[in-house]
């Protein structure tokens, strides 16, 4: 993966994960106490999905790059 795309994925992942963390925080601190577990829980679950998506955007390019480097090293031997 090119370095430019990797950086785009990392920045997008940090932004999406940050939004997810904020949604989880708002869901737990404000939505669940006001609207109950059903509505607030779904709101918080949406935040968890965003957080996991962001972490995936961060980790997948790093893991892919490491795997490619390992393959190249094994081929060189």
């Amino acid at each position: 993966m090119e370095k430019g795309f990797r950086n785009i994925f990392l920045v997008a992942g940090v932004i999406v994960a940050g939004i997810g963390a904020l949604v989880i925080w708002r869901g737990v601190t404000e939505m669940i106490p006001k609207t109950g577990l059903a509505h607030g829980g779904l709101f918080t679950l949406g935040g968890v999905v965003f957080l996991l998506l962001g972490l995936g955007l961060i980790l997948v390019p790093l893991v892919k790059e490491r795997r490619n480097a390992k393959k190249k090293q094994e081929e060189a031997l």
Side-chain angles (χ1 to χ4, degrees), residues 32 35-43:
I32 290 176
T35 61
L37 190 59
H39 184 264
L42 287 175
F43 187 82

Side-chain angles (χ1 to χ4, degrees), residues 54-66:
L55 291 176
L57 286 172
I58 292 169
L59 293 177
V60 167
L62 296 175
V63 170
K64 201 175 231 183
E65 186 177 304
R66 187 173 182 181

Side-chain angles (χ1 to χ4, degrees), residues 24-35:
I24 292 169
W25 175 74
R26 178 156 170 95
V28 170
T29 59
E30 292 189 23
M31 296 296 286
I32 290 176
K34 287 182 183 176
T35 61

Side-chain angles (χ1 to χ4, degrees), residues 1 19 26-28 38 43 53 68-69:
M1 183 174 285
I19 290 171
R26 178 156 170 95
V28 170
F43 187 82
L53 177 66
N68 288 340

Side-chain angles (χ1 to χ4, degrees), residues 2-3 9 12-13 16 18-19 27 32-33 37 42 44-45 49-50 52-53 56-57 62 73:
E2 291 181 28
K3 222 171 194 176
F9 272 88
V16 172
I19 290 171
I32 290 176
L37 190 59
L42 287 175
T44 305
L45 184 62
V49 170
F50 266 82
L52 292 175
L53 177 66
L57 286 172
L62 296 175
Q73 185 181 17

